[in-house]
């Protein structure tokens, strides 16, 4: 069909009211009239047009996700600041030698001595064993 206003060939028309008369016109001529809402001919091209004309903007740029740090996700523990002193004090209270405690921990005495001097931090498994054997708390939650 052709636009009733300019005569251009059109696939989908706009039905508009121009000077009180209803006319089937092209996209260009539709601007000159008041569009009559009809759910038939022009709805499909309108939807297609909308998709083409507004490409999806990058959601990462416009709505950045709040990224949680791994520390928040992992329920982690850290030895308290003076873990060595606490271990040594408690061990001596229990009348236990470094060697005895090391045996119970299934660790080398040398390693235990280093932990008590706070030269090295016990790993999580060792720290848990120390806590259990001595009945103390040397690990704290990382906030
Ligand atoms: Zn036209």
């Amino acid at each position: 069909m052709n636009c009733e206003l300019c005569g251009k060939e059109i696939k989908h028309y706009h039905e508009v009211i121009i000077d009180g008369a209803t006319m089937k016109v092209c996209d260009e001529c539709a601007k000159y009239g008041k569009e009559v809402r009809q759910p038939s001919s022009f709805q499909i091209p309108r939807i297609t047009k909308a998709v083409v004309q507004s490409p999806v903007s990058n959601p990462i740029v416009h709505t950045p996700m709040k990224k949680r740090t791994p520390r928040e996700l992992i329920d982690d523990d850290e030895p308290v600041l003076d873990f060595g002193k606490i271990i040594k004090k408690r061990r001596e209270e229990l009348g236990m030698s470094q060697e005895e405690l090391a045996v119970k921990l299934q660790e080398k005495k040398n390693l235990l001595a280093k932990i008590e001097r706070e030269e090295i931090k016990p790993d999580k498994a060792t720290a848990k064993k120390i806590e259990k054997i001595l009945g103390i708390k040397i690990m704290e939650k990382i906030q």
Side-chain angles (χ1 to χ4, degrees):
M1 71 168 289
N2 295 80
C3 171
E4 289 178 9
L5 205 66
C6 69
K8 197 174 92 179
E9 197 172 320
I10 46 172
K11 279 181 183 172
H12 303 284
Y13 64 86
H14 292 263
E15 195 163 15
V16 294
I17 298 166
I18 299 169
D19 292 332
T22 304
M23 298 180 87
K24 292 178 177 64
V25 300
C26 68
D27 288 2
E28 281 296 305
C29 297
K31 285 185 285 194
Y32 303 115
K34 192 174 185 292
E35 195 157 313
V36 179
R37 292 270 162 195
Q38 275 196 345
S40 55
S41 328
F42 59 82
Q43 223 184 29
I44 294 160
R46 274 173 65 93
I47 291 161
T48 310
K49 225 166 125 186
V51 171
V52 174
Q53 283 180 347
S54 52
V56 179
S57 50
N58 191 347
I60 295 160
V61 173
H62 296 287
T63 53
M65 295 288 287
K66 199 197 170 197
K67 209 175 176 184
R68 300 189 75 183
T69 64
R71 186 147 283 188
E72 283 176 281
L73 297 171
I74 298 165
D75 188 22
D76 211 353
D77 298 310
E78 268 258 297
V80 294
L81 218 62
D82 46 1
F83 61 92
K85 290 187 194 75
I86 296 167
I87 295 166
K88 189 171 189 290
K89 186 171 172 281
R90 183 63 178 158
R91 179 177 58 74
E92 285 170 352
E93 274 174 13
L94 294 170
M96 212 184 281
S97 69
Q98 271 190 349
E99 200 149 23
E100 281 174 312
L101 180 56
V103 169
K104 283 182 192 290
L105 289 170
Q106 293 170 294
E107 296 287 355
K108 288 190 169 67
K109 188 193 159 193
N110 193 31
L111 180 86
L112 178 61
K114 279 182 179 173
I115 291 171
E116 285 194 357
R117 288 198 299 270
E118 289 161 25
E119 284 173 24
I120 56 162
K121 282 183 176 182
D123 60 46
K124 208 167 169 178
T126 306
K128 292 273 182 209
K129 280 192 277 182
I130 292 168
E131 287 186 336
K132 206 176 169 190
I133 292 161
L134 298 179
I136 52 169
K137 195 94 184 98
I138 57 161
M139 300 292 272
E140 64 181 357
K141 290 255 183 276
I142 297 166
Q143 293 303 315

